[in-house]
């Protein structure tokens, strides 16, 4: 089974206000059977990355201007749409944040699953139906046969997300991209869905790219973590290293601002990061985090390179690199 | 006592029958104190908040503000107490009129209350300073501000008439982590300075843990557990609280790997047609015949109050059926 290897992916948005750098040189890799969590605050480019991988970017305004999305030996970024149709939903599939709006409201869920099986697996009629019921059972929907005829609005948010997962894994994808799959759900249902994803991964060995802004979910699920800020990966490494020894001041800020269970009572003050995320139209020159960074110095007006600083652990920060202020 | 609710009930008539959105809820909030309120979507948190604001009809029970009955106040008498209870909403964007400048938004409650222009201007400047917004914010429009700043605008507006109690309904749920911490810290600073009481509604336990003195857990309109926040979080005594805590992800990979997790099976039953007896029994791993027959009353268990027939103050046995590790 192939993993996913994104190399130097850059995406620009061609808007009336100018060309905006939505993604800049994003590199990520997820091995079969492993989970990479892509984290960052609203607007940092997580969904953009997922959509670029799936070749579902809204074009215009978005366009991939550089980089590769390697699935085994195939560069998805260079495939014509005609061939991408055979990949999307089969070798690579995606689940979206809002399950209600990503299912077709006027088609019974069973048919929506069968459609994927028909398109990619050449299953038809009885066989597709049987397989669809199997898939619903697999994702933990009781009484699957009867549920095939159900319309999405008759199901709860958690049930809809299970159906989405059933569709996404119908063809045993090598790579599953899950964009905030539990953000719209209650914690108890979130726990069910996360357990389900883990179980399916253990059974099929798929690579999971899990997009979330919730560091708790990261800690529960990830093997590796990539932290994004303003369209760039600023830190990447094994989950334990990211939490125990974060290298980038932004990652440290995020962790400090997250209550971590049992430690922070009523009378502890959360560490906050001053200011807010810059908009793409107003990115500062050099390191985009510098205006909010306690360690910023003169060198930070240049773009710090993503550099390996510990085993498998990379960061893009001059302070972490030990570059003195006068070196720029 | 700043606020007291006794056996509060709010009912909605729906096409499928009577919905008891809030059912026999009693609570107390003192000045300067924060009562955290948690529970799954639809359990009645916002409705309880709105009942305390007197924005939805109260079907049963009593509400006391500063030891005065306000349950049935109307007209001028109600207008007089209204300023004492204010609300901060989840979505700072949609709760603000986009066509009005920040100064007029924050000052609106004051002009309704008949303040003079001059006094309003002074008070608005003071309020903006209190929430750490620049003074020139007054002349700008909400869309020119980030989510966190808009939430500050909402907070300034809620504070305009010096309320005694502020209902914070998911005030930071729409905010990014880094900004969420700023707003949580701001709310705590304001409380320390002004001594307001908070009813702090959130579905995020980690946020509640950081703000609440006491904690209340709701399930299908009822309180299932109540107590000092530290006690409830450290030693939950209701199976639902236990499951909620266990489901909440912790931002600590080593702890996440080592801990035993209870994953609740099934989904929330219909609130129009709740299960008989204990409404949690259909998802409870410890349910027995008695739970279907008899609704448990809230009673003292360990250091908190719990609505369960059994005593789990010594902990939960994790080997029971229906509980997966
Ligand atoms: N059609 C568009 N036109 C202009 N800008 C856009 C468009 N779509 C997205 N953007 C911008 O691209 C950036 C990346 O957006 P993206 O949706 O990837 O963020 P995200 O990390 O997924 O955030 P969230 O956590 O809120 O989902 C944002 O700054 C967003 O404003
Ligand atoms: N005006 C109304 N008419 C009818 N039913 C209502 C009304 N307002 C709320 N409800 C119902 O009352 C119950 C409680 O809703 P409420 O909004 O208080 O829940 P909540 O705990 O705040 O949920 P959330 O976490 O999603 O905000 C729900 O079943 C809801 O559908
Ligand atoms: Mg997104
Ligand atoms: Mg609500």
């Amino acid at each position: 089974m192939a993993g996913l290897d994104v190399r130097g992916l850059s995406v620009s948005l061609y808007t009336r206000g100018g060309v905006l750098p939505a993604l800049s040189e994003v590199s990520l890799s997820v091995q079969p059977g492993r989970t990479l969590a892509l984290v960052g605050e609203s607007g940092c480019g997580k969904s953009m990355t997922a959509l670029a991988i799936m070749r579902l970017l809204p074009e215009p305004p978005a366009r991939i201007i550089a980089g590769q999305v390697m699935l085994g030996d195939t560069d998805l970024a260079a495939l014509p749409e005609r061939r991408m149709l055979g990949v999307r939903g089969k070798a690579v599939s995606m689940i979206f944040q809002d399950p209600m709006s990503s299912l077709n409201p006027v088609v019974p869920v069973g048919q929506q699953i069968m459609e994927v099986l028909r398109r990619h697996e050449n299953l038809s009629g009885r066989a597709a139906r049987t397989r669809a019921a199997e898939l619903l059972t697999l994702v933990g929907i009781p009484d699957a046969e009867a549920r095939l005829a159900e319309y999405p609005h008759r199901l709860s948010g958690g049930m809809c997300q299970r159906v989405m997962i059933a569709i996404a894994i119908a063809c045993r994808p090598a790579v599953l991209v899950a964009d905030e799959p539990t953000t719209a759900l209650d914690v108890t249902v979130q726990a069910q869905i996360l357990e389900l994803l883990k179980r399916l991964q253990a059974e099929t060995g798929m690579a999971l790219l899990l997009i979330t802004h919730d560091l708790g979910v990261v800690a529960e699920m990830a093997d590796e973590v990539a932290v994004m800020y303003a369209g760039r990966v600023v830190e990447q490494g094994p989950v334990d290293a990211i939490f125990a020894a974060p290298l980038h001041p932004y990652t440290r800020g995020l962790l400090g601002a997250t209550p971590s269970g049992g430690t922070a009572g009523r009378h502890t003050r959360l560490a906050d990061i001053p200011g807010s995320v810059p908009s793409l139209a107003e990115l500062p020159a050099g390191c985009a985090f510098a205006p909010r960074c306690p360690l910023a110095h003169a060198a930070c007006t240049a773009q710090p390179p993503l550099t390996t600083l510990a085993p498998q652990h990379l960061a893009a920060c001059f302070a972490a690199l030990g570059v003195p202020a006068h070196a720029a | 006592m700043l606020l007291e609710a006794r056996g509060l009930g709010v009912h909605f008539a729906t096409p499928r029958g009577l919905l008891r959105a809030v059912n026999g809820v009693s609570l107390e909030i003192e000045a300067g104190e924060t009562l955290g309120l948690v529970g799954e979507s639809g359990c009645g948190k916002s409705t309880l908040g709105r009942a305390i604001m007197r924005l939805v009809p109260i079907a049963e029970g009593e509400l006391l503000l500063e030891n005065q009955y306000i349950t049935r106040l109307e007209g001028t008498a109600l207008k007089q107490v209204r300023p004492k209870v204010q609300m901060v909403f989840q979505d700072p964007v949609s709760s603000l009129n986009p066509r009005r400048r920040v100064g007029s938004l924050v000052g609106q409650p004051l002009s309704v209350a008949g303040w003079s222009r001059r006094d309003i201007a002074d008070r608005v400047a003071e309020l903006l300073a209190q929430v750490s917004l620049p003074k020139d914010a007054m002349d700008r429009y909400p869309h020119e501000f980030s989510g966190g700043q808009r939430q500050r605008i909402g907070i300034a507006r809620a504070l305009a008439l010096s309320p005694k109690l502020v209902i914070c309904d998911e005030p930071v749920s729409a905010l990014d982590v880094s900004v969420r911490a700023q707003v949580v810290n701001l709310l705590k600073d304001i409380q320390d300075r002004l001594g307001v009481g908070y009813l702090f509604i959130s579905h995020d336990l980690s946020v509640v843990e950081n703000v609440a003195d006491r904690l209340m857990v709701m399930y299908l309109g009822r309180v299932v557990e109540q107590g000092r926040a530290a006690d409830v979080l450290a030693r939950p005594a209701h199976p639902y609280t236990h499951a909620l805590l266990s489901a909440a992800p912790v931002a600590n990979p080593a702890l996440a790997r080592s801990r035993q997790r209870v994953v609740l099976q099934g989904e929330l039953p219909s609130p129009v047609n709740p299960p008989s007896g204990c409404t949690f029994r259909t998802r409870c791993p410890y349910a027995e015949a008695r739970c279907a027959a008899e609704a448990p009353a809230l009673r003292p268990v360990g250091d908190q109050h719990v609505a369960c027939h059994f005593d789990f103050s010594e902990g939960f046995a994790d080997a029971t059926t229906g509980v997966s590790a």
Side-chain angles (χ1 to χ4, degrees):
Chain A
M1 225 183 212
L4 180 74
D5 197 8
V6 176
R7 299 178 191 157
L9 185 67
S10 295
V11 169
S12 288
L13 289 163
Y14 294 80
T15 70
R16 235 178 292 157
V19 182
L20 306 176
L23 297 180
S24 305
E25 299 156 42
V26 170
S27 295
L28 304 166
S29 104
V30 207
Q31 301 308 312
R34 312 275 296 173
T35 299
L36 171 71
L38 183 57
V39 295
E41 295 178 281
S42 185
C44 72
K46 304 182 296 295
S47 296
M48 211 53 106
T49 306
L51 295 174
I53 291 169
M54 299 303 294
R55 294 281 306 281
L56 289 172
L57 283 173
E59 303 182 41
R63 206 164 79 210
I64 297 179
I65 54 164
Q68 287 111 43
V69 177
M70 303 303 295
L71 179 71
D73 297 329
T74 315
D75 179 8
L76 302 186
L79 280 192
E81 176 62 18
R82 173 177 48 81
R83 287 196 45 211
M84 194 62 208
L85 282 177
V87 175
R88 200 185 292 128
K90 181 163 172 69
V92 185
S93 49
M94 176 161 173
I95 43 185
F96 297 85
Q97 169 167 350
D98 185 356
M100 296 291 189
S101 65
S102 26
L103 286 169
N104 186 337
V106 296
V107 178
V109 296
Q111 268 188 39
Q112 301 194 45
I113 304 174
M114 285 185 260
E115 189 187 308
V116 182
L117 295 169
R118 222 171 290 136
R119 183 173 344 131
H120 293 300
E121 310 275 277
N122 252 327
L123 290 185
S124 59
R126 261 216 133 65
R129 212 188 145 72
T130 312
R131 178 77 182 128
E134 277 171 21
L135 283 163
L136 283 188
T137 309
L138 187 67
V139 297
I141 296 186
D143 201 11
E145 269 303 326
R147 295 291 184 144
L148 290 175
E150 207 85 87
Y151 287 90
H153 68 90
R154 302 253 314 152
L155 301 173
S156 68
M159 284 291 174
C160 282
Q161 197 56 290
R162 287 174 196 270
V163 172
M164 285 302 302
I165 294 174
I167 293 173
I169 61 158
C171 306
R172 300 195 152 236
V175 178
L176 179 64
V177 179
D179 189 359
E180 309 259 10
T182 59
T183 305
L185 307 173
D186 272 320
V187 284
T188 56
V189 182
Q190 165 170 284
Q192 294 171 357
I193 298 289
L194 295 180
E195 292 288 320
L196 170 64
L197 287 173
K198 274 193 209 166
R199 194 188 74 199
L200 293 171
Q201 182 181 46
E203 282 166 19
T204 66
M206 66 188 178
L208 178 60
L209 174 59
L210 178 68
I211 295 176
T212 177
H213 64 273
D214 184 335
L215 289 169
V217 171
V218 175
E220 300 277 344
M221 296 289 290
D223 300 301
E224 280 89 32
V225 182
V227 181
M228 273 184 101
Y229 190 79
R232 280 180 192 270
V233 174
V234 296
E235 178 159 7
Q236 194 171 347
V239 66
D240 289 306
I242 294 280
F243 280 82
L247 295 170
H248 198 285
Y250 177 59
T251 314
R252 279 202 291 275
L254 279 184
L255 287 166
T258 307
S260 60
T263 50
R266 164 71 173 87
H267 301 289
T268 40
R269 198 178 168 79
L270 291 173
D272 57 30
I273 306 177
S276 55
V277 178
S279 82
L280 290 178
E282 293 163 356
L283 289 186
C287 174
F289 185 61
R292 305 175 73 189
C293 181
L295 303 179
H297 54 55
C300 304
T301 50
Q303 183 62 55
L306 193 61
T307 312
T308 304
L309 296 173
Q312 315 292 320
H313 195 166
L314 298 78
C317 170
F318 287 124
L321 275 167
V323 173
H326 48 78
Chain B
M1 192 58 60
L2 175 57
L3 180 88
E4 201 181 334
R6 299 182 191 151
L8 210 62
V10 178
H11 304 167
F12 295 116
T14 76
R16 289 174 299 140
L18 190 70
L19 191 161
R20 293 173 197 272
V22 172
N23 197 349
V25 170
S26 298
L27 60 86
E28 292 177 352
I29 301 174
E30 285 187 76
E33 184 193 46
T34 301
L35 175 65
L37 172 55
V38 298
E40 286 172 288
S41 182
C43 71
K45 304 182 295 295
S46 298
T47 305
L48 177 59
R50 292 167 57 79
I52 294 169
M53 295 278 294
R54 287 288 321 272
L55 294 173
V56 286
I58 293 169
E60 49 188 39
E62 294 290 353
L63 208 50
L64 290 89
L65 187 66
E66 296 182 309
N67 305 315
Q68 182 202 352
Y69 284 94
I70 60 163
T71 329
R72 272 165 287 274
L73 288 189
E74 292 299 340
T76 340
L78 181 59
K79 266 208 192 100
Q80 271 169 3
V81 301
R82 275 215 189 284
K84 294 186 184 175
V85 188
Q86 295 291 319
M87 200 151 175
V88 173
F89 300 92
Q90 163 168 1
D91 190 350
V93 192
S94 71
S95 61
L96 297 174
N97 182 338
R99 276 188 295 267
R100 296 183 62 171
R101 292 177 207 270
V102 168
S104 125
L105 286 168
V106 173
Q108 194 202 10
L110 301 167
S111 66
V112 170
W115 286 43
S116 75
R117 251 164 196 263
R118 227 204 122 85
D119 290 347
I120 292 178
D122 290 347
R123 177 70 177 143
V124 168
E126 187 182 41
L127 288 163
L128 292 179
Q130 250 171 26
V131 298
S132 309
L133 281 174
K135 203 165 176 248
D136 67 5
M138 227 183 279
D139 302 316
R140 289 153 62 194
Y141 292 93
H143 68 86
E144 296 173 48
F145 294 87
S146 70
Q149 288 174 320
R150 281 192 287 236
Q151 195 53 286
R152 288 170 196 270
I153 297 169
I155 293 169
R157 185 180 146 106
L159 293 176
L161 290 166
S162 310
K164 300 287 173 64
L165 177 71
V166 178
I167 315 246
C168 304
D169 192 354
E170 308 268 5
V172 296
S173 304
L175 302 179
D176 273 321
V177 183
S178 68
V179 180
R180 178 181 301 181
Q182 294 170 8
V183 173
V184 165
N185 288 337
L186 172 67
L187 285 168
K188 291 207 277 193
D189 290 345
I190 287 170
Q191 184 169 58
D192 291 343
R193 234 177 309 130
L194 306 177
V196 291
Y198 289 141
L199 175 65
F200 195 101
I201 299 173
S202 178
H203 65 273
D204 186 340
L205 279 160
S206 66
V207 171
V208 174
E209 170 171 24
N210 192 252
V211 298
D213 299 296
R214 287 183 307 113
L215 188 59
M216 191 163 106
V217 184
M218 280 177 78
Y219 189 79
L220 283 180
R222 289 176 188 271
V223 177
V224 296
E225 181 159 4
Q226 204 171 32
R228 288 201 333 152
D231 295 338
V232 174
L233 293 165
R235 289 174 301 279
H238 193 286
Y240 178 61
T241 316
H242 182 231
L244 262 190
L245 284 173
S246 164
V250 291
N252 178 334
L255 192 60
R257 275 192 294 268
S258 66
R259 71 182 177 145
Q260 290 262 321
R261 264 190 130 183
V262 189
V263 177
L264 264 195
Q265 306 302 315
E267 312 217 349
L268 219 53
S270 155
V272 177
N273 195 0
S276 67
C278 172
T279 53
F280 183 59
R281 71 180 165 83
T282 50
R283 299 170 79 193
C284 181
Y286 310 97
E288 293 178 9
R290 180 180 175 194
C291 306
E294 225 181 298
L298 205 61
R299 62 182 177 113
V301 174
D303 291 325
Q304 47 258 33
H305 282 77
V306 182
C308 177
H309 292 305
F310 309 110
D311 183 347
F312 290 106
S313 57
E314 300 297 318
F316 292 82
D318 277 320
T320 324
T321 48
V323 181
S324 70

